[in-house]
Amino acid sequence: MYGSWARGRAVGAQTSYDAALRREELCSLRTDDLDPGRRLVRVRAETTKSRRERVVPYSVATGVLLSQYLVHRATLSRARGGLFLSESRRNFAQPLSLWTWSKVVRRSPAYRHPHARRPHAAGAQPARHCHHAAHRRGAPRQVSTAKRS
C-alpha cells in the first residue's frame, strides 16, 4: 500500500486527470463536491475559469483511490471541508494550497515542464511557433530592426 503522502499525491493526480481539473479546481474541491454513488465531481462556479459550475465523471479506478483516500482523510480530520488535506507539521489537516500542490506535482517522477522538449513521432517536425525552443537550442534571438510608427 502507498504511504500516506504518496496516496494523496496519486489520488489527486488521478482525479485531476480524470475530471480534467485545473490546479485551482482540484485544490478547491470539498468533501461535499463528491458523489461517489454516481462517480461524479461537482466543480463549483467560484473555482472555474469560466465561472460556470460543472459536474464531471471520474473512472472506477479513481473511485477506488478516492474511497481509500477518504478513509485515510478521516484519520486526519472528520470535519467537512477541503478534500485534500496537508499532512505537514506546519499546516496539519488544513486544505492543500495551490502552491503546495504545485510542489507535489514538480516532485512527481512523471512531471515534465510544459516547455520541455518532447519526443516526436517518426518524421514529425517540432512545433515552430514556440519561441522557447529556439532559445534552448542556443539559437541567436532574432531582434527586429524595423522602426515602429
Side-chain angles (χ1 to χ4, degrees), residues 11-30 33 41-54 56-57 83-84 96-102 105:
V11 76
Q14 187 67 33
T15 305
S16 175
Y17 179 79
D18 267 6
L21 299 176
R22 292 172 40 253
R23 178 180 63 161
E24 182 177 353
E25 295 167 345
L26 180 73
C27 291
S28 299
L29 284 179
R30 299 175 48 84
D33 291 333
V41 175
R42 177 176 60 110
V43 184
R44 288 172 281 115
E46 63 268 18
T47 66
T48 67
K49 200 171 183 179
S50 65
R51 299 290 182 221
R52 292 187 195 145
E53 183 173 297
R54 67 184 194 274
V56 291
L83 179 60
F84 298 108
L96 278 186
S97 69
L98 298 174
W99 310 118
T100 302
W101 179 249
S102 293
V105 170

Side-chain angles (χ1 to χ4, degrees), residues 1-19 21 26 29 58-70 72 83-85 87 96 100-101 103-110:
M1 193 73 182
Y2 295 111
S4 59
W5 188 77
R7 181 185 307 121
R9 181 176 59 187
V11 76
Q14 187 67 33
T15 305
S16 175
Y17 179 79
D18 267 6
L21 299 176
L26 180 73
L29 284 179
Y58 56 86
S59 70
V60 173
T62 299
V64 170
L65 285 174
L66 276 170
S67 66
Q68 292 171 351
Y69 176 75
L70 289 173
H72 173 70
L83 179 60
F84 298 108
L85 301 180
E87 295 185 41
L96 278 186
T100 302
W101 179 249
K103 284 192 259 183
V104 167
V105 170
R106 279 191 209 107
R107 291 179 185 157
S108 167

